[in-house]
Amino acid sequence: MADDDHKVIVLGTVHSLFVMRVRVALSEKGVDYDFREEVLTNRSPLLLQSNPIHKKIPVLIHNGKPVCESLIIVEYIDEVWKDKSPLLPSDPYQRAHARFWADLIDKKVYLSGRKLYAEKGEEYEAGKKEFMEALKLFETELGDKPYFGGDHFGFVDVALVPYYCWFETYETFGNLSIEEHCPNLVAWGKRCMEKESVAKSLADPKKVYEIMSSKMKLLRV
Ligand code: GS8
């Protein structure tokens, strides 16, 4: 068996919302991993071989075997390292509920957020509206609980928390204030950042903004 087979490897980029989920989950479980930075314009042979269908990051490689798709990876991590910091609830109904909300992040927050990078116009305006509406759903779902998981940081928290370091970028591109409409969500983000697992896994918000603005400049020339 090659040396790499015993390791936990994450293929990703530092600022990817999807990759940060995996890093937070591994850190919550106290699992050491080898982070391999990918350049998406020139994917590594390991990435192409590990995720031949989507060719996307993140990929988790555990015991030499790849697992793809961020939410599936987080569930895998929760099942393999089940003795520490459980992420999904043990009750089947609560588990279904958590999966529903995590899935909704990708269906609503991520997709509407992407529209904020559009040129000003119909798509941009629709994106602004949809993005705030999506965040408000999460504001309501959180209510006055400390975490989406209730008293403890759970699956939906892991899935959503990477967005916290993108808030500044969304606010600048979308010319909007998240705190004005979703104060609980912003307070939740700050609370999550007090956890070492989150603080060490999230990207620097300024760096996220820099990366996205230079990407947009390139796309708009
Ligand atoms: C999405 C991963 C994704 O879009 C998941 O893991 O949850 N549903 C998947 N990854 C992006 C980088 S982050 O924006 C990616 O790999 N893009 C490469 C490409 O589309 O070419």
Side-chain angles (χ1 to χ4, degrees), residues 92-123:
Y93 183 76
Q94 293 301 328
R95 231 175 13 243
H97 186 82
R99 288 184 178 124
F100 172 87
W101 282 91
D103 178 61
L104 201 67
I105 300 169
D106 292 359
K107 293 201 167 112
K108 291 223 181 261
V109 185
Y110 179 67
L111 291 181
S112 58
R114 281 177 70 107
K115 294 186 187 168
L116 302 180
Y117 310 119
E119 296 276 7
K120 302 264 180 316
E122 240 173 71
E123 195 192 351

Side-chain angles (χ1 to χ4, degrees), residues 16-18 21 40 43 55-58 69-71 106 110:
S16 160
L17 289 160
F18 301 103
R21 288 173 168 169
L40 291 174
R43 293 166 170 80
K55 304 179 176 64
K56 289 191 179 191
I57 50 162
E69 289 292 311
S70 61
L71 293 177
D106 292 359
Y110 179 67

Side-chain angles (χ1 to χ4, degrees), residues 148-165:
F148 286 91
D151 286 334
H152 83 279
F153 183 82
F155 189 63
V156 181
D157 299 288
V158 172
L160 188 63
V161 79
Y163 283 82
Y164 183 66
C165 70

